Amino acid sequence: MIIEYLTFFTLLSASLFSVMQQMSLALDEVDIESFILWSGVAAVIAGLPIMLW
Protein backbone atom coordinates (compact mmCIF):
# COMPACT_ATOMS: atom_id res chain seq x y z
CA MET A 1 0.00 0.00 0.00
CA ILE A 2 2.77 2.45 0.90
CA ILE A 3 4.66 1.67 -2.30
CA GLU A 4 1.59 2.49 -4.38
CA TYR A 5 1.23 5.88 -2.66
CA LEU A 6 4.93 6.56 -3.06
CA THR A 7 4.80 5.68 -6.76
CA PHE A 8 1.71 7.80 -7.33
CA PHE A 9 3.12 10.88 -5.62
CA THR A 10 6.51 10.45 -7.30
CA LEU A 11 4.88 10.40 -10.73
CA LEU A 12 2.63 13.29 -9.74
CA SER A 13 5.60 15.35 -8.59
CA ALA A 14 7.57 14.58 -11.76
CA SER A 15 4.67 15.57 -13.99
CA LEU A 16 4.10 18.78 -12.02
CA PHE A 17 7.80 19.63 -12.34
CA SER A 18 7.59 19.08 -16.11
CA VAL A 19 4.55 21.32 -16.39
CA MET A 20 6.29 24.02 -14.36
CA GLN A 21 9.19 23.92 -16.83
CA GLN A 22 6.71 24.41 -19.69
CA MET A 23 5.19 27.36 -17.82
CA SER A 24 8.65 28.88 -17.42
CA LEU A 25 9.37 28.43 -21.10
CA ALA A 26 6.08 30.08 -22.02
CA LEU A 27 6.91 33.04 -19.78
CA ASP A 28 10.37 33.37 -21.32
CA GLU A 29 8.79 33.50 -24.77
CA VAL A 30 6.05 35.90 -23.57
CA ASP A 31 3.42 33.43 -24.78
CA ILE A 32 0.49 34.21 -22.50
CA GLU A 33 -1.87 31.69 -24.11
CA SER A 34 0.52 28.80 -23.49
CA PHE A 35 1.20 30.01 -19.97
CA ILE A 36 -2.51 30.04 -19.19
CA LEU A 37 -2.91 26.56 -20.68
CA TRP A 38 -0.01 25.13 -18.67
CA SER A 39 -1.26 26.88 -15.53
CA GLY A 40 -4.58 25.09 -15.96
CA VAL A 41 -2.81 21.76 -16.43
CA ALA A 42 -0.75 22.40 -13.29
CA ALA A 43 -3.91 23.21 -11.32
CA VAL A 44 -5.52 19.94 -12.41
CA ILE A 45 -2.41 17.94 -11.51
CA ALA A 46 -2.15 19.68 -8.13
CA GLY A 47 -5.82 18.91 -7.43
CA LEU A 48 -5.60 15.20 -8.23
CA PRO A 49 -4.74 14.02 -4.70
CA ILE A 50 -7.77 15.88 -3.34
CA MET A 51 -10.11 14.37 -5.95
CA LEU A 52 -8.77 10.84 -5.53
CA TRP A 53 -8.77 10.64 -1.74
Side-chain angles (χ1 to χ4, degrees):
M1 187 81 151
I2 283 286
I3 293 179
E4 292 154 352
Y5 288 132
L6 182 63
T7 303
F8 174 73
F9 285 112
T10 302
L11 290 174
L12 197 67
S13 297
S15 62
L16 192 55
F17 181 72
S18 174
V19 168
M20 290 172 65
Q21 286 181 327
Q22 292 296 325
M23 289 170 61
S24 175
L25 182 64
L27 279 178
D28 288 342
E29 296 175 355
V30 191
D31 187 3
I32 300 301
E33 291 85 13
S34 291
F35 178 75
I36 292 171
L37 173 72
W38 287 114
S39 296
V41 171
V44 169
I45 292 172
L48 281 177
I50 296 169
M51 289 187 284
L52 296 177
W53 275 280

